[in-house]
Amino acid sequence: MGESIIKKISKRMNLVKINMNYAGDHKRSILLILFFIFTYSATFSQQTGELENVEIEIVKERKLQVPNAERKFSKVAPQASDPIYPPITYSFSQTQISLPELNLPIRPLKLKKDEFNPSHNAYLRLGMGNFLSPYGELYYTNKKQEKGKIAANAWFDIFDRGPVQKAKSGNGNYGLRLNGSLHQKRLTLLSEVDYQQSFWHFYGNPNVADISKNDLRQSFNRFNLSAGFITTENKKSTFSGQAKFQFMSDRLDADETILNFQIAHLYQLKDNNTIETKFEQFIINREYVAIDAKARNLTSLQSIYTFSLFPELTISAGAGIALENDTIDNKEFHFYPKATATYQLSKQVRIKGYLDGNMKPITLNSLSLENPWLAPNISIAHTNEALVLGAQIESTIAKKVDAQAGFSVASIKNLYFFNQFQSQQEKFVAQFDKGATERTNFFLQLQYAASTRTWFTIRYDGFSYNTDTLARAWHRPSTVLQTTASHLIGNKLRISADFNFLGGLRAQNPQNESIVALPNVVDLSTKVDYFLREKMIVTFQLANILNQDYQQYQFYNVRGFQLRAGFTWSF
């Protein structure tokens, strides 16, 4: 614990260099994959003909919202088997698929356009709420430049008091992020670096009143560095790539380093037919104070050909492969057929069917972002979505009203579920279903958008899990209902509201291993923005308006009614 974050990162970088030699495990396979990629790319690059001048502008939009940090009061990930637009989000969750947050941070909804004058290059946001919850953010970017752009922002978001024993259940996060882009004639270069720190408390301990706040404390340091490129000169053949380094450490003396490399190629054929190829490599090292680092690796490659048989029917077909060295099973090589067929029944109706599968990387970093109350040295393995079948229909049922419905069935190996650590109920382990989990998902979604001034969305998801080696799908909901609405009154007042329901959550009593049905999650939140003047917005945010005392994770009650007020000033 005495080591500085800089020393830890330097130490882990050396470990990464050593573990890069893991290629000996799959050396021939990786060489074949790389040979295929560059042979494929060279072949099509020679067929592109004249290069065309293309001007691409990359702008990193800033929305008026509380900073994108790890806010741990989100839902158990529904894990829908097919990405559906728009993605599922919850008002009290981190963006996209993520797990519980304690503070139910009330974040401003993402508006469809920035309310600030585009000539303003910076803003300051400050606010305060009950539970001693100050927040703030400072953002700055240089004026729009033809050759590039840089941006920086710093933030803090703290709830010093929580639902149990006040400061013994507080949490918060702070961070600093820098990013930039450089536009050249033939390519655009992108880079980003950020550092974040967060703190939590294990207040699910039954003896929390007798334990000091310091002994209950858990904290995380996260450092990320990435650099990438996008070719911009040739419309028909586009390459993109990224290299990313991530380091994480926690107060329980765990360290994890992740190296991620990606390269993708899109080749445009005649009649809008395309070939997309993507290669990705993960090298993951995790170390505890008494355990040496061990490399976990994942190599994947996929290629998809998209074409139209006739104007109403578009088909994508291809395959993916993955190589990994997790010891949870004996199989290292995995093959995934991929196919999608989209048929335009009419001007208002479109149907789609798909076959998919992939290997999802699972790390200590990703698990701790979902659940910060993990026990030390937990088992971790990649999740193998061996087979996913699904279908959906999209329709415009009335003017400005769109509807979607669909279902999917999936066979998933090594799917993880959070369950209590038997000897310490305040900590969680990731239990893996070592057989095949059969998951079904049915969803309905309705969207109304009169304009950017008024919109409404409601979505229902039903999930069913048939586990092989586990008694239940611990802490995963069977029912998810989300409603979001926003309305701008005149040009001065915007009112937004979210209602969320999660049902069917099950946990296990760590004392006698009996099944516990957790109360349903019912949450109502709202936000009011008043545009005082061109450069100033005053905001009032309320969460858990119904003052419900529910648990997303067993023994971790959420905060009751919350109120925050603040302002945003652009300059």
mmCIF file of all heavy atoms in Angstrom, residues 502-540:
data_model
loop_
_atom_site.group_PDB
_atom_site.id
_atom_site.type_symbol
_atom_site.label_atom_id
_atom_site.label_comp_id
_atom_site.label_asym_id
_atom_site.label_seq_id
_atom_site.Cartn_x
_atom_site.Cartn_y
_atom_site.Cartn_z
ATOM 1 N N LEU A 502 -37.079 -2.737 -11.552
ATOM 2 C CA LEU A 502 -36.368 -4.003 -11.715
ATOM 3 C C LEU A 502 -37.016 -5.022 -10.791
ATOM 4 O O LEU A 502 -37.206 -4.759 -9.598
ATOM 5 C CB LEU A 502 -34.884 -3.883 -11.349
ATOM 6 C CG LEU A 502 -33.921 -3.524 -12.486
ATOM 7 C CD1 LEU A 502 -34.026 -2.047 -12.784
ATOM 8 C CD2 LEU A 502 -32.496 -3.876 -12.106
ATOM 9 N N GLY A 503 -37.338 -6.175 -11.330
ATOM 10 C CA GLY A 503 -37.956 -7.222 -10.521
ATOM 11 C C GLY A 503 -37.281 -8.563 -10.726
ATOM 12 O O GLY A 503 -36.545 -8.778 -11.691
ATOM 13 N N GLY A 504 -37.543 -9.466 -9.808
ATOM 14 C CA GLY A 504 -37.034 -10.831 -9.930
ATOM 15 C C GLY A 504 -35.614 -11.031 -9.470
ATOM 16 O O GLY A 504 -35.002 -12.053 -9.791
ATOM 17 N N LEU A 505 -35.060 -10.082 -8.696
ATOM 18 C CA LEU A 505 -33.696 -10.226 -8.208
ATOM 19 C C LEU A 505 -33.637 -11.281 -7.105
ATOM 20 O O LEU A 505 -34.460 -11.286 -6.193
ATOM 21 C CB LEU A 505 -33.176 -8.897 -7.665
ATOM 22 C CG LEU A 505 -32.902 -7.800 -8.712
ATOM 23 C CD1 LEU A 505 -32.746 -6.451 -8.042
ATOM 24 C CD2 LEU A 505 -31.666 -8.136 -9.523
ATOM 25 N N ARG A 506 -32.644 -12.158 -7.188
ATOM 26 C CA ARG A 506 -32.464 -13.214 -6.191
ATOM 27 C C ARG A 506 -31.045 -13.172 -5.645
ATOM 28 O O ARG A 506 -30.096 -12.924 -6.375
ATOM 29 C CB ARG A 506 -32.738 -14.598 -6.794
ATOM 30 C CG ARG A 506 -34.174 -14.800 -7.255
ATOM 31 C CD ARG A 506 -35.132 -14.836 -6.076
ATOM 32 N NE ARG A 506 -36.512 -15.089 -6.499
ATOM 33 C CZ ARG A 506 -37.391 -14.148 -6.785
ATOM 34 N NH1 ARG A 506 -37.023 -12.859 -6.715
ATOM 35 N NH2 ARG A 506 -38.623 -14.463 -7.136
ATOM 36 N N ALA A 507 -30.919 -13.412 -4.345
ATOM 37 C CA ALA A 507 -29.626 -13.498 -3.681
ATOM 38 C C ALA A 507 -29.605 -14.763 -2.834
ATOM 39 O O ALA A 507 -30.619 -15.457 -2.699
ATOM 40 C CB ALA A 507 -29.387 -12.258 -2.820
ATOM 41 N N GLN A 508 -28.439 -15.055 -2.253
ATOM 42 C CA GLN A 508 -28.296 -16.248 -1.430
ATOM 43 C C GLN A 508 -27.863 -15.850 -0.022
ATOM 44 O O GLN A 508 -26.941 -15.050 0.156
ATOM 45 C CB GLN A 508 -27.259 -17.193 -2.035
ATOM 46 C CG GLN A 508 -27.189 -18.557 -1.352
ATOM 47 C CD GLN A 508 -26.245 -19.502 -2.078
ATOM 48 O OE1 GLN A 508 -25.135 -19.129 -2.455
ATOM 49 N NE2 GLN A 508 -26.676 -20.732 -2.289
ATOM 50 N N ASN A 509 -28.563 -16.383 0.972
ATOM 51 C CA ASN A 509 -28.187 -16.139 2.354
ATOM 52 C C ASN A 509 -26.828 -16.798 2.618
ATOM 53 O O ASN A 509 -26.701 -18.015 2.481
ATOM 54 C CB ASN A 509 -29.247 -16.715 3.294
ATOM 55 C CG ASN A 509 -29.001 -16.333 4.740
ATOM 56 O OD1 ASN A 509 -27.885 -16.385 5.242
ATOM 57 N ND2 ASN A 509 -30.071 -15.959 5.435
ATOM 58 N N PRO A 510 -25.803 -16.019 3.001
ATOM 59 C CA PRO A 510 -24.474 -16.612 3.166
ATOM 60 C C PRO A 510 -24.366 -17.543 4.375
ATOM 61 O O PRO A 510 -23.422 -18.325 4.471
ATOM 62 C CB PRO A 510 -23.565 -15.390 3.326
ATOM 63 C CG PRO A 510 -24.456 -14.306 3.829
ATOM 64 C CD PRO A 510 -25.797 -14.562 3.232
ATOM 65 N N GLN A 511 -25.342 -17.482 5.296
ATOM 66 C CA GLN A 511 -25.288 -18.325 6.487
ATOM 67 C C GLN A 511 -25.824 -19.722 6.224
ATOM 68 O O GLN A 511 -25.201 -20.722 6.587
ATOM 69 C CB GLN A 511 -26.066 -17.659 7.626
ATOM 70 C CG GLN A 511 -25.639 -16.233 7.923
ATOM 71 C CD GLN A 511 -24.161 -16.117 8.269
ATOM 72 O OE1 GLN A 511 -23.604 -16.989 8.942
ATOM 73 N NE2 GLN A 511 -23.518 -15.057 7.807
ATOM 74 N N ASN A 512 -27.002 -19.800 5.596
ATOM 75 C CA ASN A 512 -27.624 -21.120 5.392
ATOM 76 C C ASN A 512 -27.834 -21.467 3.926
ATOM 77 O O ASN A 512 -28.456 -22.482 3.606
ATOM 78 C CB ASN A 512 -28.961 -21.190 6.137
ATOM 79 C CG ASN A 512 -29.919 -20.080 5.724
ATOM 80 O OD1 ASN A 512 -29.831 -19.556 4.616
ATOM 81 N ND2 ASN A 512 -30.823 -19.705 6.623
ATOM 82 N N GLU A 513 -27.363 -20.601 3.006
ATOM 83 C CA GLU A 513 -27.438 -20.816 1.559
ATOM 84 C C GLU A 513 -28.862 -20.885 1.030
ATOM 85 O O GLU A 513 -29.103 -21.400 -0.058
ATOM 86 C CB GLU A 513 -26.670 -22.087 1.160
ATOM 87 C CG GLU A 513 -25.188 -22.017 1.486
ATOM 88 C CD GLU A 513 -24.419 -23.206 0.944
ATOM 89 O OE1 GLU A 513 -25.050 -24.139 0.397
ATOM 90 O OE2 GLU A 513 -23.180 -23.213 1.052
ATOM 91 N N SER A 514 -29.813 -20.350 1.768
ATOM 92 C CA SER A 514 -31.193 -20.293 1.274
ATOM 93 C C SER A 514 -31.326 -19.166 0.257
ATOM 94 O O SER A 514 -30.522 -18.227 0.215
ATOM 95 C CB SER A 514 -32.166 -20.069 2.423
ATOM 96 O OG SER A 514 -31.902 -18.841 3.074
ATOM 97 N N ILE A 515 -32.346 -19.254 -0.584
ATOM 98 C CA ILE A 515 -32.578 -18.259 -1.631
ATOM 99 C C ILE A 515 -33.390 -17.097 -1.057
ATOM 100 O O ILE A 515 -34.407 -17.301 -0.390
ATOM 101 C CB ILE A 515 -33.304 -18.893 -2.826
ATOM 102 C CG1 ILE A 515 -32.408 -19.967 -3.454
ATOM 103 C CG2 ILE A 515 -33.648 -17.830 -3.867
ATOM 104 C CD1 ILE A 515 -33.085 -20.771 -4.529
ATOM 105 N N VAL A 516 -32.924 -15.882 -1.312
ATOM 106 C CA VAL A 516 -33.571 -14.669 -0.807
ATOM 107 C C VAL A 516 -34.118 -13.874 -1.984
ATOM 108 O O VAL A 516 -33.382 -13.582 -2.938
ATOM 109 C CB VAL A 516 -32.581 -13.805 -0.005
ATOM 110 C CG1 VAL A 516 -33.254 -12.531 0.495
ATOM 111 C CG2 VAL A 516 -31.989 -14.597 1.154
ATOM 112 N N ALA A 517 -35.406 -13.539 -1.928
ATOM 113 C CA ALA A 517 -36.022 -12.686 -2.954
ATOM 114 C C ALA A 517 -35.868 -11.231 -2.534
ATOM 115 O O ALA A 517 -36.436 -10.798 -1.526
ATOM 116 C CB ALA A 517 -37.494 -13.045 -3.129
ATOM 117 N N LEU A 518 -35.072 -10.466 -3.271
ATOM 118 C CA LEU A 518 -34.877 -9.060 -2.941
ATOM 119 C C LEU A 518 -36.089 -8.235 -3.361
ATOM 120 O O LEU A 518 -36.758 -8.555 -4.353
ATOM 121 C CB LEU A 518 -33.626 -8.526 -3.641
ATOM 122 C CG LEU A 518 -32.294 -9.184 -3.254
ATOM 123 C CD1 LEU A 518 -31.150 -8.538 -4.031
ATOM 124 C CD2 LEU A 518 -32.043 -9.076 -1.764
ATOM 125 N N PRO A 519 -36.406 -7.172 -2.610
ATOM 126 C CA PRO A 519 -37.540 -6.309 -2.989
ATOM 127 C C PRO A 519 -37.336 -5.723 -4.382
ATOM 128 O O PRO A 519 -36.199 -5.516 -4.826
ATOM 129 C CB PRO A 519 -37.530 -5.214 -1.912
ATOM 130 C CG PRO A 519 -36.751 -5.783 -0.779
ATOM 131 C CD PRO A 519 -35.744 -6.706 -1.384
ATOM 132 N N ASN A 520 -38.446 -5.457 -5.060
ATOM 133 C CA ASN A 520 -38.361 -4.842 -6.382
ATOM 134 C C ASN A 520 -37.734 -3.452 -6.289
ATOM 135 O O ASN A 520 -37.924 -2.717 -5.313
ATOM 136 C CB ASN A 520 -39.753 -4.728 -7.005
ATOM 137 C CG ASN A 520 -40.338 -6.084 -7.324
ATOM 138 O OD1 ASN A 520 -39.622 -7.042 -7.594
ATOM 139 N ND2 ASN A 520 -41.660 -6.184 -7.289
ATOM 140 N N VAL A 521 -36.988 -3.103 -7.308
ATOM 141 C CA VAL A 521 -36.410 -1.765 -7.410
ATOM 142 C C VAL A 521 -37.428 -0.861 -8.099
ATOM 143 O O VAL A 521 -37.828 -1.124 -9.233
ATOM 144 C CB VAL A 521 -35.099 -1.790 -8.212
ATOM 145 C CG1 VAL A 521 -34.592 -0.378 -8.475
ATOM 146 C CG2 VAL A 521 -34.040 -2.611 -7.481
ATOM 147 N N VAL A 522 -37.859 0.197 -7.399
ATOM 148 C CA VAL A 522 -38.795 1.170 -7.956
ATOM 149 C C VAL A 522 -38.191 2.547 -7.734
ATOM 150 O O VAL A 522 -37.998 2.971 -6.591
ATOM 151 C CB VAL A 522 -40.179 1.084 -7.288
ATOM 152 C CG1 VAL A 522 -41.122 2.105 -7.906
ATOM 153 C CG2 VAL A 522 -40.755 -0.319 -7.412
ATOM 154 N N ASP A 523 -37.878 3.229 -8.805
ATOM 155 C CA ASP A 523 -37.178 4.506 -8.662
ATOM 156 C C ASP A 523 -37.769 5.553 -9.608
ATOM 157 O O ASP A 523 -37.994 5.285 -10.796
ATOM 158 C CB ASP A 523 -35.695 4.341 -8.971
ATOM 159 C CG ASP A 523 -34.949 5.652 -8.802
ATOM 160 O OD1 ASP A 523 -34.560 5.944 -7.665
ATOM 161 O OD2 ASP A 523 -34.783 6.384 -9.794
ATOM 162 N N LEU A 524 -38.005 6.730 -9.070
ATOM 163 C CA LEU A 524 -38.479 7.876 -9.845
ATOM 164 C C LEU A 524 -37.522 9.033 -9.613
ATOM 165 O O LEU A 524 -37.204 9.366 -8.466
ATOM 166 C CB LEU A 524 -39.891 8.269 -9.413
ATOM 167 C CG LEU A 524 -40.481 9.523 -10.073
ATOM 168 C CD1 LEU A 524 -40.664 9.317 -11.576
ATOM 169 C CD2 LEU A 524 -41.811 9.894 -9.410
ATOM 170 N N SER A 525 -37.034 9.616 -10.686
ATOM 171 C CA SER A 525 -36.129 10.761 -10.579
ATOM 172 C C SER A 525 -36.530 11.827 -11.580
ATOM 173 O O SER A 525 -37.208 11.546 -12.583
ATOM 174 C CB SER A 525 -34.676 10.327 -10.824
ATOM 175 O OG SER A 525 -34.535 9.799 -12.127
ATOM 176 N N THR A 526 -36.112 13.050 -11.317
ATOM 177 C CA THR A 526 -36.443 14.154 -12.219
ATOM 178 C C THR A 526 -35.344 15.199 -12.182
ATOM 179 O O THR A 526 -34.536 15.247 -11.245
ATOM 180 C CB THR A 526 -37.791 14.804 -11.846
ATOM 181 O OG1 THR A 526 -38.162 15.724 -12.868
ATOM 182 C CG2 THR A 526 -37.697 15.542 -10.513
ATOM 183 N N LYS A 527 -35.321 16.018 -13.194
ATOM 184 C CA LYS A 527 -34.331 17.084 -13.312
ATOM 185 C C LYS A 527 -34.976 18.285 -13.989
ATOM 186 O O LYS A 527 -35.734 18.156 -14.953
ATOM 187 C CB LYS A 527 -33.141 16.597 -14.135
ATOM 188 C CG LYS A 527 -32.146 17.677 -14.531
ATOM 189 C CD LYS A 527 -30.994 17.066 -15.316
ATOM 190 C CE LYS A 527 -30.138 18.140 -15.966
ATOM 191 N NZ LYS A 527 -30.747 18.696 -17.164
ATOM 192 N N VAL A 528 -34.687 19.465 -13.445
ATOM 193 C CA VAL A 528 -35.220 20.712 -13.995
ATOM 194 C C VAL A 528 -34.052 21.625 -14.336
ATOM 195 O O VAL A 528 -33.212 21.931 -13.475
ATOM 196 C CB VAL A 528 -36.164 21.414 -12.992
ATOM 197 C CG1 VAL A 528 -36.650 22.741 -13.572
ATOM 198 C CG2 VAL A 528 -37.339 20.516 -12.645
ATOM 199 N N ASP A 529 -33.975 22.040 -15.588
ATOM 200 C CA ASP A 529 -32.961 22.995 -16.043
ATOM 201 C C ASP A 529 -33.635 24.315 -16.372
ATOM 202 O O ASP A 529 -34.582 24.360 -17.180
ATOM 203 C CB ASP A 529 -32.257 22.482 -17.304
ATOM 204 C CG ASP A 529 -31.306 21.334 -17.017
ATOM 205 O OD1 ASP A 529 -30.593 21.397 -16.007
ATOM 206 O OD2 ASP A 529 -31.291 20.365 -17.806
ATOM 207 N N TYR A 530 -33.143 25.388 -15.759
ATOM 208 C CA TYR A 530 -33.653 26.715 -16.094
ATOM 209 C C TYR A 530 -32.528 27.501 -16.755
ATOM 210 O O TYR A 530 -31.463 27.708 -16.168
ATOM 211 C CB TYR A 530 -34.141 27.454 -14.846
ATOM 212 C CG TYR A 530 -34.691 28.832 -15.163
ATOM 213 C CD1 TYR A 530 -35.919 28.961 -15.827
ATOM 214 C CD2 TYR A 530 -33.985 29.980 -14.828
ATOM 215 C CE1 TYR A 530 -36.426 30.211 -16.136
ATOM 216 C CE2 TYR A 530 -34.483 31.233 -15.137
ATOM 217 C CZ TYR A 530 -35.708 31.339 -15.798
ATOM 218 O OH TYR A 530 -36.198 32.583 -16.113
ATOM 219 N N PHE A 531 -32.771 27.924 -18.005
ATOM 220 C CA PHE A 531 -31.767 28.651 -18.774
ATOM 221 C C PHE A 531 -31.867 30.140 -18.418
ATOM 222 O O PHE A 531 -32.630 30.891 -19.018
ATOM 223 C CB PHE A 531 -31.979 28.419 -20.269
ATOM 224 C CG PHE A 531 -31.868 26.974 -20.647
ATOM 225 C CD1 PHE A 531 -32.988 26.147 -20.636
ATOM 226 C CD2 PHE A 531 -30.642 26.419 -20.980
ATOM 227 C CE1 PHE A 531 -32.888 24.806 -20.968
ATOM 228 C CE2 PHE A 531 -30.532 25.087 -21.306
ATOM 229 C CZ PHE A 531 -31.653 24.273 -21.292
ATOM 230 N N LEU A 532 -31.067 30.509 -17.408
ATOM 231 C CA LEU A 532 -31.141 31.858 -16.863
ATOM 232 C C LEU A 532 -30.730 32.890 -17.891
ATOM 233 O O LEU A 532 -31.330 33.954 -18.019
ATOM 234 C CB LEU A 532 -30.243 31.940 -15.620
ATOM 235 C CG LEU A 532 -30.400 33.162 -14.738
ATOM 236 C CD1 LEU A 532 -31.790 33.214 -14.141
ATOM 237 C CD2 LEU A 532 -29.354 33.144 -13.616
ATOM 238 N N ARG A 533 -29.681 32.579 -18.623
ATOM 239 C CA ARG A 533 -29.208 33.432 -19.715
ATOM 240 C C ARG A 533 -28.397 32.559 -20.655
ATOM 241 O O ARG A 533 -28.272 31.360 -20.430
ATOM 242 C CB ARG A 533 -28.377 34.603 -19.178
ATOM 243 C CG ARG A 533 -27.188 34.157 -18.351
ATOM 244 C CD ARG A 533 -26.479 35.337 -17.719
ATOM 245 N NE ARG A 533 -27.319 35.991 -16.725
ATOM 246 C CZ ARG A 533 -26.918 37.006 -15.981
ATOM 247 N NH1 ARG A 533 -25.715 37.512 -16.171
ATOM 248 N NH2 ARG A 533 -27.716 37.540 -15.082
ATOM 249 N N GLU A 534 -27.829 33.167 -21.677
ATOM 250 C CA GLU A 534 -27.128 32.378 -22.686
ATOM 251 C C GLU A 534 -26.010 31.539 -22.080
ATOM 252 O O GLU A 534 -25.788 30.404 -22.480
ATOM 253 C CB GLU A 534 -26.541 33.308 -23.758
ATOM 254 C CG GLU A 534 -25.822 32.567 -24.880
ATOM 255 C CD GLU A 534 -25.140 33.515 -25.848
ATOM 256 O OE1 GLU A 534 -25.003 34.706 -25.513
ATOM 257 O OE2 GLU A 534 -24.744 33.057 -26.931
ATOM 258 N N LYS A 535 -25.315 32.076 -21.088
ATOM 259 C CA LYS A 535 -24.155 31.394 -20.534
ATOM 260 C C LYS A 535 -24.422 30.702 -19.201
ATOM 261 O O LYS A 535 -23.501 30.132 -18.618
ATOM 262 C CB LYS A 535 -23.006 32.389 -20.344
ATOM 263 C CG LYS A 535 -22.493 32.994 -21.638
ATOM 264 C CD LYS A 535 -21.299 33.901 -21.358
ATOM 265 C CE LYS A 535 -20.735 34.479 -22.659
ATOM 266 N NZ LYS A 535 -19.546 35.326 -22.389
ATOM 267 N N MET A 536 -25.646 30.713 -18.715
ATOM 268 C CA MET A 536 -25.897 30.204 -17.373
ATOM 269 C C MET A 536 -27.131 29.309 -17.343
ATOM 270 O O MET A 536 -28.190 29.670 -17.879
ATOM 271 C CB MET A 536 -26.101 31.370 -16.405
ATOM 272 C CG MET A 536 -26.384 30.944 -14.976
ATOM 273 S SD MET A 536 -24.909 30.318 -14.131
ATOM 274 C CE MET A 536 -23.992 31.841 -13.899
ATOM 275 N N ILE A 537 -26.979 28.113 -16.721
ATOM 276 C CA ILE A 537 -28.090 27.201 -16.502
ATOM 277 C C ILE A 537 -28.134 26.859 -15.009
ATOM 278 O O ILE A 537 -27.112 26.492 -14.416
ATOM 279 C CB ILE A 537 -27.935 25.903 -17.310
ATOM 280 C CG1 ILE A 537 -27.932 26.200 -18.803
ATOM 281 C CG2 ILE A 537 -29.052 24.919 -16.980
ATOM 282 C CD1 ILE A 537 -27.721 24.972 -19.670
ATOM 283 N N VAL A 538 -29.310 26.962 -14.413
ATOM 284 C CA VAL A 538 -29.523 26.569 -13.025
ATOM 285 C C VAL A 538 -30.261 25.231 -13.030
ATOM 286 O O VAL A 538 -31.240 25.067 -13.769
ATOM 287 C CB VAL A 538 -30.328 27.629 -12.252
ATOM 288 C CG1 VAL A 538 -30.599 27.164 -10.820
ATOM 289 C CG2 VAL A 538 -29.572 28.962 -12.243
ATOM 290 N N THR A 539 -29.786 24.283 -12.236
ATOM 291 C CA THR A 539 -30.309 22.917 -12.287
ATOM 292 C C THR A 539 -30.739 22.443 -10.909
ATOM 293 O O THR A 539 -30.043 22.663 -9.912
ATOM 294 C CB THR A 539 -29.234 21.956 -12.833
ATOM 295 O OG1 THR A 539 -28.855 22.375 -14.146
ATOM 296 C CG2 THR A 539 -29.765 20.533 -12.901
ATOM 297 N N PHE A 540 -31.915 21.785 -10.858
ATOM 298 C CA PHE A 540 -32.395 21.094 -9.659
ATOM 299 C C PHE A 540 -32.602 19.626 -10.036
ATOM 300 O O PHE A 540 -33.245 19.327 -11.039
ATOM 301 C CB PHE A 540 -33.698 21.698 -9.153
ATOM 302 C CG PHE A 540 -33.567 23.108 -8.684
ATOM 303 C CD1 PHE A 540 -33.800 24.166 -9.556
ATOM 304 C CD2 PHE A 540 -33.197 23.392 -7.382
ATOM 305 C CE1 PHE A 540 -33.667 25.480 -9.137
ATOM 306 C CE2 PHE A 540 -33.060 24.706 -6.950
ATOM 307 C CZ PHE A 540 -33.288 25.758 -7.829
#
